[in-house]
Amino acid sequence: MPAHGRPTRDELAAAADRTLPTLLAPGLRVLFCGINPGLYSAWTGHHFARPGNRFWPALHRSGFTPRQLAPAEQEELLALGLGLTNVVERASATAAELSAEELHAGGRRLVDDVVTYEPQWLAVLGVTAYRTAFDRPRATYGEQPERLGRTRVWVLPNPSGLNAHVTPPQLAAAFGELRLAVEG
């Protein structure tokens, strides 16, 4: 855990290739799956930690959490039946640095985790990563026709601030559609 508020350029560079712990337990309602950790998240040790990432606000505004959690409070998700993981475990500055083979390998590992832990839903945060990792080139947002074992799959927009064409209200609405399906 960093001792100060903002990382230096060297600290961020040193976070490259680090991994974050998966937040996973048997029988979750939803396992949220990012593409891979960014350097800022790897530096902090918390998922979706970069200021400007819209995951935590969207999770709250959609009704999944009773209040907006901070990344350092990620462990509280388990009590709500929610978990966190990534397609590719290693951190990078951008998802564009990931190879197709890394995404394919991550997809295979993710299938193993999902079949073992059996969350009701897997929510992949990024349609392009989902298409590559699962060899589904025509996949769109929303529920997918395929299941991973007994787990249903939903694709959400990437909440990164770099995905600016999806506005915060649109992101919260997309998360809300998933929440309704989960409760439904």
Side-chain angles (χ1 to χ4, degrees):
M1 181 73 173
H4 54 285
R6 293 189 60 158
T8 65
R9 184 171 294 167
D10 288 342
E11 287 172 325
L12 284 178
D17 298 325
R18 285 187 193 161
T19 61
L20 293 178
T22 297
L23 194 63
L24 188 56
L28 295 172
R29 291 186 310 141
V30 182
L31 176 59
F32 289 95
C33 180
I35 300 168
N36 75 310
L39 297 180
Y40 193 97
S41 289
W43 174 74
T44 66
H46 304 295
H47 293 264
F48 304 105
R50 184 171 185 81
N53 190 295
R54 295 143 337 139
F55 174 79
W56 298 102
L59 201 63
H60 171 60
R61 290 182 185 134
S62 64
F64 274 111
T65 59
R67 65 180 177 82
Q68 185 172 319
L69 299 174
E73 298 174 300
Q74 66 188 20
E75 295 287 330
E76 293 183 29
L77 291 177
L78 289 175
L80 299 170
L82 307 173
L84 296 171
T85 191
N86 289 291
V87 176
V88 174
E89 294 178 320
R90 76 171 182 94
S92 66
T94 69
E97 296 175 28
L98 305 175
S99 70
E101 182 47 46
E102 282 181 288
L103 289 164
H104 288 297
R108 290 189 298 272
R109 181 196 45 78
L110 187 56
V111 168
D112 290 344
D113 286 349
V114 166
V115 169
T116 299
Y117 287 93
E118 295 187 325
Q120 292 172 21
W121 290 88
L122 172 68
V124 180
L125 303 165
V127 70
T128 302
Y130 176 78
R131 288 172 178 160
T132 303
F134 293 95
D135 198 27
R136 303 281 185 246
R138 295 177 182 232
T140 60
Y141 294 117
E143 186 172 0
Q144 303 304 301
E146 300 82 22
R147 290 184 183 224
L148 302 179
R150 295 191 298 192
T151 299
R152 296 165 77 178
V153 180
W154 193 282
V155 176
L156 289 165
N158 182 343
S160 168
L162 297 174
N163 189 17
H165 73 277
V166 177
T167 66
Q170 290 170 328
L171 192 62
F175 274 63
E177 289 175 24
L178 169 60
R179 186 185 56 78
L180 291 174
V182 170
E183 293 177 357

